[in-house]
Amino acid sequence: MPVQGAPAPSPATADGTSTYVPHIVAWNLTKRCNLACAHCYISAGSWQATSDELSTEECLRILDEVLDVNPNPMLILTGGEPLLRDDLEVLVERGSSRGATVVVGTNGTRLTDERIGTLMAAGLKGVAVSVDSLDASYHDRFRHGGGALSDTLAAVERCRASKLDFVIQTTVTKGNRHELASLVEWAAEAGAVSFNLYFLVPTGRGDRMRGLSPDENEDVLAELVTLEREYRGRMMIRSKCQPQIMRHMLQGDPESPLLNYQTRCPCGVHYVRITPEGKVTPCPYLPVVAGDLMESSFREIWETSPVLLELREGEVGGRCGKCEYRQVCGGCRARAYAETGNLMGPDDSCAYDPPGDIEVIEPVGRVFYGQSAETVLSWSPDARERLNAIPSFVRGVVTARIEKFAREKGYERIDAEVMAEVRRNMPVDFSKKLPFFLQRGGGA
């Protein structure tokens, strides 16, 4: 659905390049899945056909178009269940060989040792695995698959044994809200690099479910702030589809690394989704079509789509529009659309009542998405090459931290040995989250 009255195409820098870059691209490769999760935003299941899926050749063409716009994105290949596609390794290899950091989102039940091996050989850097409860009766019922939890936990152990980085993803509901602390503790003990807590967006099959109340969301976000501080340096903890956590962080923990970036929700701004049919939407939970890759190039859609331009340049409305935190939060655009039909409408999952008459709070982050931090020290050619292979959205933060480390050690030049030392000495939230970037050929 087109957005009426959208602004002009994205502004450009002096060299003519767009100020907006697709730093993260999520790609639903299929609607097929061996499970049928209650909240699935794409309504995936075993009954879904392959006829609407893009062919391998079409996927490779689109992938090249994405990488022509940004050579070093984070590319998330998911589904449905992406392991059901026999060409997954082909796509991973193409993306990885051209400079993308490729990860796979999976329910984990089909993640065998053999598949882990072939994916890692193709260049896969990590997987995101869904675990909604450590109680098998709840997890299996929620995901509509007998034995699903047992299979997924076994896959997590296989990833750990294979030294494949993994993220644990949980969707919070009234049924598992009480498990949050124990799920985080288990994820950390299992060796996860991050724990991502998703808040329900009523889209796909999720429109049949009721999420938490605004007051319950507030309680969960406050707990996440406490947990993030407790596990800092060991495992990252983040909320998804609930940018209101930024307000909680600013109020309760202004030193949190979650505040590193000067950005609110990146939906349509630095982040897009590709559907199995080749449509582009602002994010997986926002089904408004920004363009069709079977009719237009990725660059054309990214730079000129009225839907994306509205999200970048438009003003949020309702309570979100008068909230002093609108520059650091702005509400979830997918939830606003699902509940109001307006991309820029209010996100009513929030309990905060803004006074509307105080100064807007500006981001405290030091780095914009994709910003290259200024380099003061000398970098060897091989160190510079590895730096340039880091995904664009984190390169500035990584650069700043490497230089800070080197200066504290008294080094005047950064080379491969210094980068290896950085990796050994940085806490988990840096060195374990981004280990492959500091190794030879990382990301390429």
Side-chain angles (χ1 to χ4, degrees):
M1 128 180 188
V3 176
Q4 300 300 319
S10 304
T13 58
D15 63 3
T17 59
S18 173
T19 58
Y20 299 106
V21 177
H23 295 295
I24 305 175
V25 178
W27 195 337
N28 296 114
L29 293 172
T30 180
K31 289 184 179 179
R32 290 176 290 143
C33 188
N34 56 310
L35 301 179
C37 304
H39 65 310
C40 182
Y41 62 84
I42 202 170
S43 299
S46 59
W47 59 87
Q48 296 284 6
T50 62
S51 56
D52 290 336
E53 293 178 11
L54 299 173
S55 67
T56 303
E57 292 71 23
E58 289 167 335
C59 287
L60 291 173
R61 187 261 301 169
I62 290 170
L63 181 51
D64 285 341
E65 290 182 3
V66 170
L67 297 175
D68 286 343
V69 176
N70 179 14
N72 303 115
M74 175 74 76
L75 179 64
I76 306 168
L77 301 179
T78 185
E81 176 47 62
L83 295 176
L84 292 174
R85 282 202 59 140
D86 295 333
D87 60 357
L88 184 58
E89 283 80 357
V90 176
L91 304 181
V92 171
E93 193 281 331
R94 175 64 69 88
S96 178
S97 65
R98 282 206 52 186
T101 296
V102 187
V103 298
V104 162
T106 173
N107 61 44
T109 60
R110 302 175 65 89
L111 203 53
T112 62
D113 283 323
E114 179 182 3
R115 205 69 193 273
I116 290 173
T118 58
L119 287 167
M120 292 182 71
L124 187 73
K125 298 305 182 185
V127 294
V129 180
S130 298
V131 177
D132 293 300
S133 174
L134 297 176
D135 177 354
S137 63
Y138 178 91
H139 179 94
D140 292 0
R141 183 175 67 252
F142 189 70
R143 300 236 160 216
H144 289 88
L149 179 62
S150 176
D151 290 343
T152 299
L153 296 185
V156 167
E157 183 54 38
R158 285 192 285 270
C159 289
R160 181 175 185 171
S162 299
K163 297 182 178 180
L164 176 63
D165 283 349
F166 62 92
V167 170
I168 297 299
Q169 308 203 127
T170 297
T171 297
V172 63
T173 68
K174 294 180 184 293
N176 66 0
R177 157 75 186 93
H178 66 285
E179 280 194 78
L180 178 55
S182 59
L183 279 164
V184 169
E185 180 182 15
W186 167 78
E189 291 295 329
V193 298
S194 182
F195 178 87
N196 295 340
L197 188 69
Y198 282 78
F199 290 73
L200 181 72
V201 176
T203 186
R205 274 199 298 270
D207 67 0
R208 307 173 190 171
M209 298 178 61
R210 288 185 61 190
L212 302 182
S213 71
D215 287 339
E216 288 170 327
N217 285 334
E218 289 287 291
D219 290 342
V220 172
L221 290 173
E223 185 175 358
L224 277 183
V225 171
T226 300
L227 290 168
E228 193 279 324
R229 187 187 300 113
E230 178 182 350
Y231 287 88
R232 191 174 303 164
R234 184 180 178 191
M235 179 181 72
M236 296 179 69
I237 296 176
R238 298 176 293 181
S239 73
K240 296 291 184 178
C241 306
Q242 194 73 196
Q244 290 83 355
I245 196 171
M246 304 300 279
R247 168 171 52 85
H248 284 263
M249 286 295 180
L250 285 167
Q251 293 174 346
D253 188 9
E255 297 302 314
S256 171
L258 293 183
L259 299 173
N260 270 340
Y261 288 106
Q262 297 186 33
T263 183
R264 63 189 193 197
C265 173
C267 169
V269 180
H270 301 297
Y271 176 37
V272 289
R273 180 267 295 258
I274 300 172
T275 72
E277 304 86 3
K279 304 291 195 303
V280 175
T281 77
C283 86
Y285 300 92
L286 212 172
V288 178
V289 175
D292 188 341
L293 289 164
M294 302 308 289
E295 300 175 356
S296 306
S297 71
F298 182 82
R299 181 181 296 277
E300 180 181 359
I301 295 169
W302 177 258
E303 294 182 352
T304 68
S305 166
V307 171
L308 302 183
L309 295 176
E310 175 71 359
L311 287 164
R312 296 166 192 171
E313 306 298 333
E315 295 292 333
V316 293
R319 288 192 304 139
C320 290
K322 68 176 184 177
C323 181
E324 68 271 28
Y325 292 96
R326 61 184 177 272
Q327 295 298 328
V328 295
C329 170
C332 173
R333 297 299 91 216
R335 187 177 294 105
Y337 178 79
E339 295 180 345
T340 71
N342 182 358
L343 286 172
M344 308 306 290
D347 176 0
D348 289 330
S349 70
C350 179
Y352 182 66
D353 186 17
D357 57 356
I358 62 177
E359 186 176 353
V360 175
I361 295 173
E362 297 294 332
V364 299
R366 296 167 291 282
V367 182
F368 289 96
Y369 261 39
Q371 177 179 334
S372 295
E374 180 182 357
T375 56
V376 177
L377 302 178
S378 172
W379 289 65
S380 68
D382 60 341
R384 180 72 66 178
E385 181 180 0
R386 296 180 198 189
L387 179 65
N388 290 335
I390 293 172
S392 56
F393 76 104
V394 292
R395 191 177 301 142
V397 168
V398 174
T399 302
R401 295 192 69 171
I402 292 174
E403 289 227 338
K404 180 176 183 292
F405 177 90
R407 288 195 302 272
E408 290 173 349
K409 291 289 187 177
Y411 300 141
E412 297 181 354
R413 178 180 171 83
I414 296 173
D415 57 20
E417 292 184 3
V418 172
M419 295 183 83
E421 187 178 352
V422 170
R423 182 182 177 228
R424 290 193 299 270
N425 287 276
M426 283 293 185
V428 168
D429 69 338
F430 178 76
S431 65
K432 191 176 178 187
K433 177 67 176 170
L434 305 171
F436 40 88
F437 301 144
L438 304 183
Q439 301 174 22
R440 188 160 194 79

